[in-house]
Amino acid sequence: MLNTFQQGEHALLPRATHDERARQNFAKGLRGYIQREVLPGLTPLFSGVSAKARAKGDELATRHDVRKAMRREPYFQSYAGLNRTAQELLWLSVIDAIEHDWNRLSAEVEARAGQGGELRIPENFDVPRYVTALDIHCMPGGYASAADPAQFAAGALYERGVYLYAMGYGGPFNDGKGRSVCNYLLKHLPGFEPARILDMGCSVGHSTLPYEEAYPDAEIWGIDVGAPLVRYAHARAAELGSKVNFAQMNAEHTDFEDGSFDLVVSHIMLHETSGKAMPKIFEECFRLLRPGGWMVHCDLPPFDLMDPLTQFILDNETYYNNEPFWGAMREIDQVSLAKKAGFEADTVRFDTAPMVIQAYADESAKGYDKDAASAVADREFKAGEYAPGGGWEVLIARKGA
Ligand SMILES: C[S@@+](CC[C@H](N)C(=O)[O-])C[C@H]1O[C@@H](n2cnc3c(N)ncnc32)[C@H](O)[C@@H]1O
């Protein structure tokens, strides 16, 4: 596990005082404690609860059955309450640092306005209701708050907050997902040389930047519905020496031309959309791709690949972490949706992209900080924390040539 001090340093990262760091460390430590010490207790609790149910002739066959039985248990209630408290503390500990470092951060963002790649933020933009209706994963103000005075604070909050949330397991630059998918593509589609790549729901560009390393000749765009996110992403990328372009756009209907990309990807975006948006996003991916191009969406696996207890644990995000689509999305038949959008039926599949910290053992794995990787390499992944099987699940599909 990387500690709070091992996040990759750059000028856009909010600088915390000693006390703010101590609070961030506590919030991260509390999360780690819950995962390590409290979460495992749910398994024996479940054994007891399901044995009691069976004795009465009931089978806890679905995640809903498991929830009904488990939510009455004081141990589960304590776990869920602690988890929620840790999540709220985590964001609050970062907000303090952003407020205290505000003037410096504003100047750093401004200074990068003409640097790096292109930044497009339109005048009038409709942020979808599924993003504005509530503060997703309890992040105060959400991704696109009108109360964000210089329109980048949500980016700074996400940058530091998600590092603490992932407890450093995404790597120093939190780019583990992007790197994992890049490794997967380099391995499974050798010879595929995309000239234009689009990352949908890029937030601050964590997962977008690795594509520049994997495909150095490609033109790369990251889009997101949150203006504060893409403004921060652009400044962060420029600071890190990247030429990736960013734009505020909706993945359901972008401004790009038909057939203008070879690869369209997303990382943990789909579960933050909606049942109505998802089919539109798949259709938009199809429209945007050139014949022979690939669509890859990276997220956690669908529920039918997990046992009911794991489903229940993950679904706590729906109930207690302001992620209304988290559970429903994992029940949608994404393979059928992709086929319906026009993708070649025999190419549409779910597959596992090994997390880059595991793939690192393979010498061919590309570009990952070795010290950081070895610090986390022998970590055991637990149900409910990350994808069962230790990988990111990718939905992959090709547009017919
Ligand atoms: C969990 S974050 C993903 C972060 C990033 N992809 C990563 O790997 O770290 C989900 C992002 O999707 C964005 N989003 C949600 N719906 C979207 C849509 N219809 N079009 C574009 N972005 C969207 C949200 O604003 C948010 O930044």
Side-chain angles (χ1 to χ4, degrees):
M1 182 196 301
L2 299 181
N3 70 30
T4 40
F5 303 96
Q6 287 172 302
Q7 183 166 12
E9 266 302 331
H10 58 79
L12 278 301
L13 193 63
R15 288 190 188 146
T17 62
H18 173 275
D19 287 5
E20 289 158 359
R21 267 188 191 269
R23 284 204 292 280
Q24 293 178 4
N25 210 19
F26 175 78
K28 173 174 166 284
L30 179 59
R31 250 187 81 67
Y33 172 80
I34 296 165
Q35 299 276 346
R36 242 182 5 259
E37 308 293 336
V38 189
L39 174 71
L42 293 182
T43 305
L45 176 68
F46 174 65
S47 303
V49 165
S50 52
K52 252 195 244 164
R54 229 173 291 123
K56 286 198 220 152
D58 293 336
E59 202 59 51
L60 305 183
T62 69
R63 71 180 203 273
H64 305 293
D65 300 334
V66 178
R67 177 164 308 282
K68 252 192 206 156
M70 293 282 276
R71 74 177 177 204
R72 298 194 203 105
E73 297 293 326
Y75 186 92
F76 169 70
Q77 291 168 358
S78 307
Y79 160 79
L82 262 179
N83 229 0
R84 171 72 179 228
T85 303
Q87 182 76 350
E88 291 180 5
L89 277 180
L90 185 149
W91 297 120
L92 291 177
S93 72
V94 180
I95 286 176
D96 285 350
I98 295 174
E99 285 182 347
H100 137 258
D101 198 23
W102 183 252
N103 291 342
R104 188 194 65 82
L105 280 172
S106 303
E108 295 288 2
V109 171
E110 208 172 303
R112 277 156 194 83
Q115 301 174 9
E118 198 179 323
L119 172 65
R120 291 188 198 164
I121 299 185
E123 288 272 304
N124 296 308
F125 183 88
D126 271 337
V127 181
R129 203 178 130 61
Y130 51 79
V131 171
T132 55
L134 76 181
D135 291 350
I136 294 182
H137 44 56
C138 302
M139 184 170 110
Y143 290 124
S145 170
D148 187 346
Q151 288 280 293
F152 73 82
L157 182 56
Y158 193 77
E159 166 77 331
R160 179 62 172 165
V162 167
Y163 177 82
L164 299 176
Y165 177 86
M167 296 177 287
Y169 291 128
F173 288 93
N174 241 326
D175 54 6
K177 287 183 289 302
R179 286 188 182 279
S180 302
V181 177
C182 284
N183 281 348
Y184 176 88
L185 291 172
L186 291 166
K187 182 167 177 191
H188 292 273
L189 303 178
F192 176 54
E193 286 293 339
R196 268 185 115 220
I197 301 172
L198 174 63
D199 180 20
M200 295 176 151
C202 64
S203 76
V204 300
H206 287 149
S207 305
T208 326
L209 266 47
Y211 289 84
E212 198 173 35
E213 200 179 307
Y215 300 106
D217 297 329
E219 176 185 327
I220 302 172
W221 283 85
I223 61 165
D224 202 286
V225 289
L229 299 178
V230 291
R231 182 172 282 107
Y232 183 88
H234 172 267
R236 176 185 183 272
E239 161 68 11
L240 294 174
S242 160
K243 293 267 184 242
V244 169
N245 309 287
F246 291 93
Q248 184 185 28
M249 282 192 208
N250 187 335
E252 295 173 56
H253 43 78
T254 69
D255 298 345
F256 297 115
E257 287 181 12
D258 292 4
S260 54
F261 286 92
D262 305 283
L263 174 64
V264 180
V265 295
S266 79
H267 311 81
I268 59 166
M269 173 190 74
L270 290 178
H271 74 259
E272 290 188 359
T273 60
S274 74
K276 280 192 185 153
M278 243 173 86
K280 292 188 196 158
I281 291 172
F282 284 15
E283 284 161 19
E284 181 65 359
C285 291
F286 188 80
R287 181 186 76 76
L288 289 173
L289 284 169
R290 294 194 182 108
W294 288 90
M295 166 178 92
V296 182
H297 295 292
C298 160
D299 214 298
L300 294 190
F303 275 149
D304 58 9
L305 298 179
M306 304 172 203
D307 60 75
L309 176 62
T310 306
Q311 292 180 27
F312 156 75
I313 292 172
L314 287 174
D315 203 20
N316 285 324
E317 295 287 306
T318 311
Y319 287 82
Y320 311 121
N321 198 20
N322 282 6
E323 292 269 14
F325 194 43
W326 179 281
M329 175 259 186
R330 275 165 243 294
E331 277 177 344
I332 289 177
D333 183 350
Q334 297 176 49
V335 169
S336 296
L337 271 189
K339 288 181 188 168
K340 208 167 156 209
F343 287 92
E344 268 182 334
D346 60 347
T347 66
V348 183
R349 62 185 186 276
F350 273 110
D351 206 349
T352 302
M355 285 183 186
V356 77
I357 50 172
Q358 297 167 320
Y360 195 78
D362 169 6
E363 281 302 305
S364 65
K366 208 173 145 81
Y368 193 69
D369 182 279
K370 195 164 187 164
D371 292 338
S374 60
V376 289
D378 36 4
R379 160 162 204 274
E380 208 180 304
F381 290 86
K382 293 182 186 135
E385 253 188 301
Y386 288 91
W392 292 105
E393 201 70 5
V394 285
L395 175 74
I396 173 160
R398 194 175 89 122
K399 179 168 177 171

